[in-house]
C-alpha cells in the first residue's frame, strides 16, 4: 500500500457528511469525513474512536465535558464514552 494524501482525499469529498475509507488497521476502519457546522446527536461506540482534524475545528461534548479539537490536532474518545458533535464545528 502506498502513501495517501489525506488532505487531498478530504478535499475531494463532494458534500458534507460524505466519507471515504482509506484502509483498515486491524479491525478498525480508517476513513476521512467531510463535516459542516451541523450538530450530531450523542452516541457511543464499542471501540475507541480517534478523531483527527485537518482543517477548521471540531466541537464535541464528551461525557458532559466540552472539548474543542483544532486543525492538526487529534483526540481519542474511549470505547463506551457518550459523545456528540456540537454545532459550529
Amino acid at each position: 500500500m502506498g502513501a495517501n494524501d489525506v488532505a487531498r482525499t478530504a478535499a475531494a469529498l463532494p458534500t458534507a457528511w460524505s466519507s471515504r475509507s482509506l484502509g483498515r488497521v486491524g479491525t478498525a476502519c480508517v476513513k476521512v469525513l467531510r463535516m459542516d457546522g451541523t450538530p450530531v446527536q450523542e452516541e457511543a461506540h464499542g471501540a475507541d474512536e480517534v478523531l483527527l482534524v485537518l482543517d477548521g475545528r471540531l466541537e464535541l461534548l464528551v461525557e458532559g465535558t466540552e472539548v474543542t479539537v483544532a486543525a492538526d490536532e487529534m483526540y481519542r474518545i474511549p470505547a463506551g464514552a457518550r459523545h456528540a458533535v456540537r454545532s459550529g464545528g
Side-chain angles (χ1 to χ4, degrees), residues 2-71:
N4 189 317
D5 187 329
V6 178
R8 181 177 293 161
T9 301
L13 292 170
T15 59
W17 304 106
S18 57
S19 66
R20 178 169 175 212
S21 176
L22 301 176
R24 297 195 74 80
V25 178
T27 59
C29 178
V30 178
K31 65 182 179 179
V32 62
L33 170 73
R34 176 181 289 250
M35 298 175 70
D36 60 12
T38 305
V40 176
Q41 291 186 352
E42 186 178 73
E43 60 185 2
H45 306 284
D48 288 0
E49 186 173 25
V50 175
L51 307 170
L52 171 64
V53 176
L54 299 176
D55 185 40
R57 71 182 187 286
L58 180 59
E59 301 289 343
L60 300 169
L61 186 62
V62 181
E63 294 289 331
T65 300
E66 294 184 0
V67 175
T68 298
V69 187

